[in-house]
Amino acid sequence: MAKFHPSLPGRVTIREVGPRDGLQSEPPLAVRDRARLIEALSATGVPKIEAVSFVSAKAVPAMADATAVWDLVEKVVGVAYSALVPNRRGAEEAVRVGGFSSLQAFIAASDGYNQKNVGRAVEESIEDLEAVMSVGRSVDVPVEATISAAFGDPFEGDVPPKRVVELAERLVDFGAAGISLGDTTGMATPTRVWEVVGLMEERLADVPLNLHFHDTRGTAMANVLAALQAGVTEFDASVGGLGGSPFAPGAGGNVATEDLAHMLADMGIETGVDLERVLEAARRVESLIGHPVPSRLSRSGPRWNRADGP
Amino acid sequence: MAKFHPSLPGRVTIREVGPRDGLQSEPPLAVRDRARLIEALSATGVPKIEAVSFVSAKAVPAMADATAVWDLVEKVVGVAYSALVPNRRGAEEAVRVGGFSSLQAFIAASDGYNQKNVGRAVEESIEDLEAVMSVGRSVDVPVEATISAAFGDPFEGDVPPKRVVELAERLVDFGAAGISLGDTTGMATPTRVWEVVGLMEERLADVPLNLHFHDTRGTAMANVLAALQAGVTEFDASVGGLGGSPFAPGAGGNVATEDLAHMLADMGIETGVDLERVLEAARRVESLIGHPVPSRLSRSGPRWNRADGP
């Protein structure tokens, strides 16, 4: 069957974004609970965690108190923690607090979503990203850039792959250490993934690429498969499948860490993730937010669990 | 990007199984409501519908009154309706009622699930399938055979692909007009799909193949993509993503008709399905069963819907 997966990787990096994207649309949790959740996720074996966000507490109340949360977290050596930063001020705060392996800047591929998300046109936002990168450079902390709505914009519709990749090129020119393409509202499908990733490979082959899928329309795991076949080896995922931008109408959750790690494990692709610990963390999240998480595995358990005999 | 989809088909057949697999674990609906649902689905453009099941009403109360339901249905020319039949008696009843384009027999690939489902070992069930096929032959109605738990058995675990395909060969020898491989409890992943479908292609290339995925562990749509790449062109799906065997612990719903048709449409693969009508049918199902259906699209709407401007 090798003809169907010419380039399935042997190993995939999962970046856990539950403490950030996962929680940002939920009612705010206590600082202590957010810190304990990051610690629980640090014990799952994921190599990267997006831990906090230095966005405006007024705009995203659930992300308030980033510094307090981060101060409380018992950091685990070997886990690379990142912070989301919207602009120079956020970057400076993150750098002042310290301890992040990288900063994550963000911008949309189209004005529609960018306006809704940060109240500015894409061209204006680029200045913010330049500023973030200069802050990162000054303290030698790499800055990665997320391009949101990279597979479609809920306000504007389709986004030409060429525009996405040209924006990525500009961000790399400004010093982005890596690019994450965000399917913020679940508008990606496998053929679109092949198209955009193919163009990224052509133009930015040596730049680390992360994909960030939301399962708004049920395509997230198929998109992951498509991306694996196109050579992508890093994906964002959120414990329990929580997530969704408060500024994206009808946004569904991120691809669930446990669903993704389980599928990859069965396909012989290493992630280093201890599934039982992720499921434990998902249960913790459920009790914190007070409603069920959307992941499938949190209901079904892994395929190797046996039911009681017939 | 052609290298990643060497054989994506231009057209896919969706067989709607909502009235059967979708409803069988729900509290029984009124005969009239079940008939109206089949009619609503007949207007969606799906070419095939599994309409009723002649299993024991005691075993599966939601499937009682198959004849009464079927009698009430206003059939649509051009839609191929099938009935699920467990044994000779069921087949004879279906044939007596008449109007079905085919009968669907079923057997599990492993004793564990077969015992739970029909209380018999696989070898004993084969006699039932032979009897069903002889009934079909006597009135010239084709009988297709579903192999349940074809990608794993919740009681026994992994099922060797070779065993699945050997069983399929025997069923074809007995006269099965087509084979459906059922991932009854969502244990399939893309590499398993490639393996089993590859072996089917090797050994039974000229036998029509249908795949039936449940999204129990979040892999259903990725499995569809894998199967498309392996040349499969027919899939079962259930309106709203309802479904799950009452005899399969923790079974999740079928892949949702609207989620599947939507992804395929965006990939340029024709299904003939009118998505708005499927979404309408999903809303009807929700109001009938009194709880939300699990499909994503019934919450989000299609990707071409625009949100109000920023």
Side-chain angles (χ1 to χ4, degrees):
Chain A
M1 293 294 90
K3 63 176 168 166
F4 301 126
H5 45 94
S7 59
L8 280 189
R11 194 172 178 89
V12 152
T13 297
I14 294 180
R15 178 168 65 170
E16 171 64 56
V17 298
R20 203 277 303 168
D21 202 352
L23 293 184
Q24 72 181 8
S25 286
E26 301 292 332
L29 300 184
V31 164
R32 172 170 301 274
D33 289 334
R34 286 163 62 196
R36 293 295 97 86
L37 175 62
I38 295 168
E39 290 168 357
L41 293 167
S42 300
T44 61
V46 286
K48 296 185 174 184
I49 298 178
E50 192 167 87
V52 291
S53 165
F54 290 93
V55 294
S56 143
K58 202 173 145 197
V60 190
M63 290 294 100
D65 305 314
T67 300
V69 170
W70 184 236
D71 277 347
L72 260 188
V73 171
E74 196 159 314
K75 285 86 179 172
V76 169
V77 176
V79 177
Y81 299 94
S82 60
L84 191 76
V85 295
N87 49 30
R88 175 187 295 276
R89 208 177 60 182
E92 285 171 347
E93 199 177 339
V95 160
R96 191 179 47 75
V97 184
F100 299 108
S101 301
S102 63
L103 304 182
Q104 193 76 26
F106 58 97
I107 188 168
S110 58
D111 286 329
Y113 183 70
N114 208 66
Q115 279 287 359
K116 193 77 175 185
N117 199 26
V118 295
R120 308 181 68 171
V122 171
E123 282 305 318
E124 296 170 313
S125 271
I126 282 183
E127 295 166 23
D128 288 329
L129 270 78
E130 280 192 88
V132 168
M133 288 181 208
S134 100
V135 172
R137 203 160 27 236
S138 71
V139 289
D140 221 18
V141 172
V143 176
E144 294 173 20
T146 291
I147 300 178
S148 310
F151 300 89
D153 176 308
F155 305 103
E156 292 191 10
D158 290 344
V159 175
K162 199 161 160 282
R163 198 204 296 172
V164 174
V165 177
E166 281 169 2
L167 179 56
E169 285 176 321
R170 288 176 72 185
L171 299 173
V172 169
D173 283 347
F174 295 152
I179 297 289
S180 175
L181 299 180
D183 184 25
T184 314
T185 59
M187 293 173 74
T189 57
T191 41
R192 290 180 192 273
V193 171
W194 286 321
E195 203 180 351
V196 178
V197 172
L199 211 52
M200 288 290 288
E201 291 271 307
E202 259 176 62
R203 311 260 290 253
L204 291 167
D206 53 347
V207 175
L209 177 63
N210 164 298
L211 294 188
H212 174 107
F213 292 118
H214 283 255
D215 199 35
T216 319
R217 293 176 176 84
T219 60
M221 293 279 269
N223 293 337
V224 167
L225 177 60
L228 290 171
Q229 294 178 316
V232 176
T233 57
E234 181 172 315
F235 297 92
D236 281 357
S238 168
V239 60
L242 283 184
S245 164
F247 308 109
N254 288 279
V255 65
T257 308
E258 55 269 42
D259 293 357
L260 176 60
H262 175 264
M263 180 176 86
L264 294 176
D266 192 58
M267 293 175 72
I269 298 172
E270 296 280 334
T271 63
V273 168
D274 180 330
L275 207 54
E276 287 305 327
R277 291 196 175 179
V278 180
L279 289 169
E280 244 177 72
R283 283 188 289 274
R284 174 193 291 258
V285 170
E286 281 194 334
S287 79
L288 289 174
I289 61 178
H291 63 82
V293 294
S295 84
R296 305 292 187 180
L297 217 69
S298 61
R299 302 274 86 76
S300 63
R303 71 185 298 289
W304 51 81
N305 280 1
R306 290 286 82 80
D308 287 337
Chain B
M1 295 291 89
K3 63 176 170 166
F4 301 126
H5 45 96
S7 59
L8 280 188
R11 196 174 175 86
V12 153
T13 298
I14 294 180
R15 178 168 66 169
E16 171 62 58
V17 299
R20 202 278 303 168
D21 202 351
L23 294 183
Q24 73 181 7
S25 286
E26 300 292 331
L29 300 184
V31 165
R32 172 169 302 273
D33 289 334
R34 285 163 63 194
R36 292 295 96 85
L37 176 62
I38 295 168
E39 290 168 357
L41 293 168
S42 301
T44 61
V46 287
K48 298 185 174 184
I49 299 178
E50 192 166 88
V52 291
S53 166
F54 290 93
V55 294
S56 145
K58 202 172 144 198
V60 190
M63 291 293 100
D65 305 313
T67 300
V69 170
W70 185 235
D71 277 346
L72 260 189
V73 172
E74 195 160 315
K75 285 86 179 171
V76 169
V77 176
V79 177
Y81 299 95
S82 59
L84 192 76
V85 296
N87 50 29
R88 176 187 296 278
R89 209 177 59 181
E92 284 172 347
E93 199 178 339
V95 159
R96 189 178 49 71
V97 184
F100 298 108
S101 301
S102 63
L103 305 182
Q104 193 76 27
F106 58 96
I107 187 169
S110 58
D111 287 329
Y113 184 69
N114 208 66
Q115 280 286 0
K116 193 78 176 183
N117 199 25
V118 294
R120 309 181 67 170
V122 171
E123 282 306 318
E124 296 169 312
S125 271
I126 281 183
E127 295 167 23
D128 288 330
L129 270 79
E130 280 192 89
V132 168
M133 288 182 206
S134 101
V135 172
R137 201 156 33 234
S138 71
V139 289
D140 221 18
V141 172
V143 177
E144 295 173 19
T146 291
I147 300 179
S148 312
F151 300 89
D153 177 307
F155 306 102
E156 292 190 10
D158 290 344
V159 175
K162 198 160 160 284
R163 199 205 295 171
V164 174
V165 177
E166 281 170 3
L167 178 56
E169 286 176 319
R170 289 176 71 185
L171 299 173
V172 169
D173 284 345
F174 295 152
I179 297 290
S180 175
L181 300 180
D183 184 25
T184 314
T185 59
M187 293 172 75
T189 57
T191 40
R192 291 180 190 273
V193 171
W194 286 321
E195 203 180 352
V196 177
V197 171
L199 212 51
M200 287 291 287
E201 290 271 305
E202 258 176 62
R203 310 261 289 254
L204 291 168
D206 53 346
V207 175
L209 177 63
N210 164 298
L211 294 188
H212 174 107
F213 291 118
H214 283 255
D215 199 35
T216 319
R217 291 177 178 83
T219 60
M221 293 279 269
N223 292 337
V224 167
L225 177 61
L228 290 171
Q229 294 178 316
V232 176
T233 58
E234 183 174 313
F235 297 92
D236 282 358
S238 169
V239 60
L242 282 184
S245 165
F247 308 109
N254 288 277
V255 64
T257 308
E258 56 269 41
D259 293 356
L260 176 60
H262 175 264
M263 181 177 85
L264 294 176
D266 192 58
M267 293 174 72
I269 298 172
E270 296 280 335
T271 63
V273 169
D274 180 330
L275 206 54
E276 286 307 326
R277 291 194 175 180
V278 180
L279 288 169
E280 244 176 72
R283 283 189 288 272
R284 175 193 291 260
V285 169
E286 281 193 335
S287 79
L288 289 174
I289 61 179
H291 63 82
V293 293
S295 84
R296 304 294 186 177
L297 217 68
S298 60
R299 301 275 87 77
S300 64
R303 72 185 295 290
W304 51 82
N305 280 1
R306 289 287 83 78
D308 287 336

